[in-house]
Amino acid sequence: QSIGVWNEWRIEGRSDWIVDRIEIFNNTCYFACQGTNKVIASIQIDDAVTNSKIVNNIISSSVLTGLKIWNSLQNENVDKFTSPENNNFVSHNMFYKNRVDGYTGENSIKDDPRFERISEKPGDKKADFMLQTSSPAIDAGEDSGLAKYNKSEQDIGCYEFGLPRWEAGLNRAK
């Protein structure tokens, strides 16, 4: 539903503990979570994270913000997260129904991903987040090393458009 990465040890004064090499890619985050810092977002990440990537995610339906970068003082701190010293990369994500105050990174899109079937209820088994043929997320992603269908460009989101349902992990009983 949503993703949160933060370093509770840093909050407790253990500055020697770090969070490094986090890779968040090809997800569909459809609802928001509230972390211990009271920030509500679809993806929350600590500003001290290093050598990490947030790529090809559809971040949707967070009425407060889509991607929030914060620190132990409960302040947003994009500058530290995106500094050359931290070596983080945020690119090719799609934002839909988010407020504008979240961080979007490079080459991101603000548009409706046009899912086949979605639901406003968390955990609804009818929602599969497959993309419609007209989705702007198709062939709009950064190459993340995952399998590509028909050798096309990488898609943004959970499933590569056009993959047979069994290969996309959707061979469940009707």
Side-chain angles (χ1 to χ4, degrees):
Q1 302 286 342
S2 57
I3 299 170
V5 178
W6 53 88
N7 187 349
E8 288 291 328
W9 291 107
R10 187 170 66 128
I11 294 169
E12 295 178 15
R14 300 286 308 266
S15 60
D16 55 327
W17 287 56
I18 62 168
V19 178
D20 189 48
R21 291 183 176 88
I22 301 295
E23 292 187 356
I24 302 172
F25 59 91
N26 294 92
N27 294 286
T28 299
C29 302
Y30 195 69
F31 290 98
C33 69
Q34 179 173 331
T36 56
N37 62 348
K38 307 295 185 229
V39 171
I40 298 175
S42 292
I43 297 180
Q44 299 179 48
I45 194 158
D46 194 303
D47 69 349
V49 167
T50 54
N51 302 306
S52 297
K53 297 178 183 178
I54 302 174
V55 179
N56 295 349
N57 299 287
I58 296 176
I59 303 168
S60 183
S61 289
S62 172
V63 294
L64 296 178
T65 188
L67 169 60
K68 198 71 164 178
I69 299 165
W70 58 275
N71 62 28
S72 58
L73 301 174
Q74 300 183 15
N75 297 318
E76 185 171 19
N77 194 355
V78 172
D79 292 339
K80 181 176 180 185
F81 183 81
T82 59
S83 71
E85 299 82 37
N86 279 15
N87 193 33
N88 293 312
F89 181 71
V90 179
S91 183
H92 292 83
N93 295 291
M94 177 174 279
F95 295 85
Y96 179 56
K97 293 185 179 179
N98 302 126
R99 263 189 23 197
V100 184
D101 66 345
Y103 181 64
T104 59
E106 302 173 20
N107 304 307
S108 293
I109 302 169
K110 290 187 178 188
D111 203 349
D112 181 349
R114 299 186 194 117
F115 297 123
E116 286 285 344
R117 290 186 303 272
I118 61 170
S119 175
E120 297 299 323
K121 297 184 289 185
D124 189 338
K125 304 247 186 263
K126 294 179 184 173
D128 65 15
F129 300 102
M130 295 292 285
L131 300 172
Q132 293 179 21
T133 307
S134 61
S135 173
I138 297 171
D139 295 339
E142 174 79 12
D143 187 0
S144 63
L146 294 177
K148 295 181 232 173
Y149 185 66
N150 288 337
K151 299 181 180 162
S152 64
E153 296 300 316
Q154 189 78 47
D155 294 340
I156 297 175
C158 291
Y159 304 110
E160 187 72 8
F161 177 78
L163 274 176
R165 295 180 76 76
W166 64 269
E167 199 170 330
L170 297 172
N171 60 338
R172 57 184 173 250
K174 299 280 180 202

